[in-house]
């Protein structure tokens, strides 16, 4: 009995670290193929594995980690759910929400002393214009992904691009990032064309016939080009482009050869072990959002371990300092940019079944680190959070 009492006393003396994971049940496009599972736990599984990793170290350092999962219904009040979490004393959050919702939460007066880690929104404006001091980004920006792809295309000397863009805002945003990357690295967009066809269903004969006839027409008579760059984040038409174009050219962008922070094809630098561990825990493969959420929770854990504190102010100072570096199966430690709080990381270039390369590419140099050749460098951003 005395042993049990001592155990309880010791547990009370442990440092309590509560991390809120907040998301909303928003509609997402269904996968185009039956080979791709429909996920109901995208993102949160990465946060759960991150908590387990933190807890493994925490047991030896008298640190207890709790992940508080806050799932708001589609028509629910995200602001109220966030306010309730703040009222419960939670000050560290992994935020799995679109950009506008993230900005709303971060701008709440009560959130000024909290830290919010963005694990979903890739909008460049969050890193170049609208930056908030209490927000860190573990999701990459679109500019980082576009620059990673552009470096490889330039390295291959495939510098003439035919850009085919969908009509949705996310597609336009990715196309803008590719235009910026072309100008930045010396490529040329020889044809810039919107895709306005209505894609049919490839699960029916009529859909197959329709797509096979549409794609050559949609891509014909383009200026001479080395690659066709697709901007279709919502997977409306991009998967139908390879092998159906008018000209026989490689397809890159959001489909074909695409940039990603994580993919199940990644095996280097301990990636295989991470893949196996995650699949054992989640019973499925790790996604990009899982990885971004894992980084967020692990970054908090690393900062808590090194500072012996759960105070957001102390954690923020450490995360932005020279001593922080997170091992994340990318061959080098990940760090945060002081001016916009974006995490620096290599970007994978992969197809559906094979890892092709990792950017930054050799020869793309920077006075600080080659990782800062991806995305908005300090002179490119109006943000000055440091």
């Amino acid at each position: 009995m005395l042993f049990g009492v001592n155990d309880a006393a010791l547990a009370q003396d442990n440092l309590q670290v509560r991390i809120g994971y907040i998301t909303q049940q928003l509609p997402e496009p269904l996968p185009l193929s039956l080979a791709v599972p429909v996920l109901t736990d995208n993102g949160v599984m990465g946060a759960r594995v991150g908590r387990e990793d933190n807890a493994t170290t925490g047991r030896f350092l008298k640190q207890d980690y709790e992940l508080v999962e806050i799932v708001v219904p589609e028509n629910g009040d995200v602001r109220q759910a966030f306010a309730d979490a703040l009222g419960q004393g939670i000050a560290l959050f992994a935020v799995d929400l679109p950009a506008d919702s993230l900005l709303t939460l971060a701008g709440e007066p009560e959130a000024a002393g909290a830290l919010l880690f963005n694990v979903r929104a890739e909008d460049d404006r969050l890193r170049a214009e609208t930056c908030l001091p209490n927000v860190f980004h573990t999701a990459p920006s679109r500019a980082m992904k576009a620059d990673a792809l552009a470096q490889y295309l330039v390295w291959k000397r495939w510098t003439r691009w035919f850009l085919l863009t969908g009509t949705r805002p996310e597609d336009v945003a990715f196309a803008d990032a590719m235009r910026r990357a072309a100008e930045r690295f010396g490529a040329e967009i020889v044809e810039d064309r919107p895709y306005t066809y209505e894609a049919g269903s490839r699960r029916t004969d009529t859909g197959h016939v329709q797509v096979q006839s549409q794609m050559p027409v949609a891509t014909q008579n383009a200026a001479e080009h080395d690659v066709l760059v697709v901007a279709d984040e919502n997977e409306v038409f991009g998967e139908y482009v390879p092998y159906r174009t008018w000209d026989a050219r490689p397809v890159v962008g959001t489909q074909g050869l695409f940039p990603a922070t994580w993919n199940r094809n990644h095996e280097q630098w301990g990636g295989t072990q991470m893949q196996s561990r995650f699949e054992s825990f989640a019973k499925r493969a790790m996604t990009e959002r899982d990885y971004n959420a894992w980084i967020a929770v692990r970054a908090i854990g690393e900062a808590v371990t090194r500072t012996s504190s759960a105070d957001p102010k102390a954690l923020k100072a450490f995360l932005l300092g020279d001593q922080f570096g997170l091992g994340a199966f990318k061959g080098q430690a990940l760090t945060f940019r002081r001016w916009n709080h974006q995490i620096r990381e290599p970007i994978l270039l992969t197809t559906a079944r094979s890892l092709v390369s990792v950017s930054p590419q050799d020869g793309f140099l920077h006075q600080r680190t080659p990782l800062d050749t991806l995305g908005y460098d300090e002179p490119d951003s109006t943000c000055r959070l440091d």
Side-chain angles (χ1 to χ4, degrees):
M1 178 66 69
L2 184 61
F3 180 78
V5 171
N6 288 340
D7 267 359
L10 287 173
Q12 290 176 358
D13 290 339
N14 286 359
L15 178 64
Q16 304 298 314
V17 186
R18 303 182 74 200
I19 303 171
Y21 182 93
I22 184 166
T23 189
Q24 189 170 18
Q25 295 174 325
L26 299 174
E28 297 188 37
L30 292 174
L32 287 178
S33 171
L34 292 174
V36 180
V38 177
L39 301 182
T40 59
D41 54 5
N42 194 6
V44 70
M45 275 297 180
R48 291 173 183 173
V49 173
R51 193 217 74 86
E52 291 296 311
D53 291 348
N54 288 350
T56 299
T57 303
R59 291 187 190 99
F60 299 97
L61 300 175
K62 297 185 178 181
Q63 298 166 357
D64 292 333
Y65 289 88
E66 179 185 3
L67 184 69
V68 181
E69 298 176 14
I70 307 159
V71 182
V72 183
E74 181 177 350
N75 297 318
D77 190 337
V78 176
R79 292 177 65 181
Q80 186 59 55
F82 181 63
D84 291 345
L86 289 171
Q88 296 170 19
I90 301 174
L92 305 169
F93 293 88
V95 182
D96 186 356
L97 291 168
D100 288 342
S101 296
L102 170 67
L103 290 173
T104 296
L105 300 190
E108 293 290 325
E110 296 80 3
L115 292 183
L116 285 69
F117 291 79
N118 166 32
V119 306
R120 178 189 288 205
E122 298 184 356
D123 305 55
D124 288 328
R125 62 189 169 105
L126 299 177
R127 288 82 168 173
E129 304 162 10
T130 312
C131 301
L132 293 173
N134 57 345
V135 176
F136 284 74
H137 304 283
T138 60
S141 65
R142 287 189 178 90
M144 288 174 64
K145 287 187 168 183
D147 288 350
L149 180 59
Q151 285 188 11
Y152 180 73
L153 298 180
V154 169
W155 180 81
K156 288 287 292 180
R157 299 185 180 178
W158 295 343
T159 56
R160 297 173 299 175
W161 303 352
F162 171 14
L163 180 60
L164 188 63
T165 306
T167 58
R168 302 191 181 191
E170 299 90 344
D171 307 335
V172 174
F174 184 81
D176 286 342
M178 290 304 302
R179 295 184 188 103
R180 173 185 175 273
E183 182 176 355
R184 188 179 189 192
F185 296 112
E188 179 185 5
I189 298 178
V190 298
E191 185 87 15
D192 199 332
R193 184 180 296 183
Y195 182 86
T196 56
Y197 289 83
E198 291 294 330
S201 171
R202 69 180 179 186
R203 294 180 182 175
T204 67
D205 291 338
T206 54
H208 161 75
V209 172
Q210 183 184 37
V211 169
Q212 187 164 324
S213 62
Q214 278 183 3
M215 284 304 162
V217 175
T219 58
Q220 70 177 335
N221 299 327
E224 183 61 29
H225 55 284
D226 300 314
V227 293
L228 193 157
V229 182
V230 175
D232 173 33
E233 288 197 5
N234 289 282
E235 297 187 342
V236 173
F237 69 94
E239 289 290 346
Y240 304 126
V241 177
Y243 310 109
R244 295 184 176 98
T245 56
W246 184 269
D247 297 301
R249 298 291 185 274
V251 174
V252 304
T254 52
Q255 283 80 26
L257 175 68
F258 58 91
T261 55
W262 191 260
N263 190 274
R264 72 181 306 173
N265 301 324
H266 179 50
E267 300 177 351
Q268 295 175 269
W269 306 302
T272 299
Q273 288 77 10
M274 180 61 181
Q275 304 276 20
S276 299
R277 189 158 54 85
F278 183 90
E279 290 188 16
S280 176
F281 181 90
K283 311 306 179 187
R284 62 169 178 81
M286 192 178 211
T287 68
E288 281 193 276
R289 264 165 61 191
D290 289 322
Y291 183 70
N292 299 341
W294 178 83
I295 290 177
V297 175
R298 281 292 298 119
I300 293 171
E302 179 68 14
V304 170
T305 296
R306 298 292 294 275
T307 62
S308 300
S309 172
D311 175 60
K313 186 175 181 180
L315 300 184
K316 178 180 177 180
F318 179 77
L319 290 170
L320 295 174
D322 295 335
Q323 299 303 310
F324 174 74
L326 182 67
F329 310 98
K330 290 286 188 73
Q332 55 189 295
L334 310 190
T335 60
F336 285 101
R337 293 171 177 156
R338 294 181 61 88
W339 62 91
N340 63 4
H341 296 179
Q342 171 66 55
I343 204 161
R344 300 179 175 97
E345 63 177 319
I347 299 293
L348 313 179
L349 301 174
T350 184
T351 64
R353 298 289 296 272
S354 175
L355 181 70
V356 175
S357 187
V358 181
S359 286
Q361 299 293 315
D362 290 341
F364 290 86
L365 306 178
H366 192 279
Q367 65 271 25
R368 187 183 299 107
T369 167
L371 291 175
D372 280 346
T373 65
L374 305 179
Y376 281 85
D377 196 6
E378 190 169 8
D380 306 324
S381 174
T382 61
C383 298
R384 293 295 180 270
L385 296 178
D386 55 352

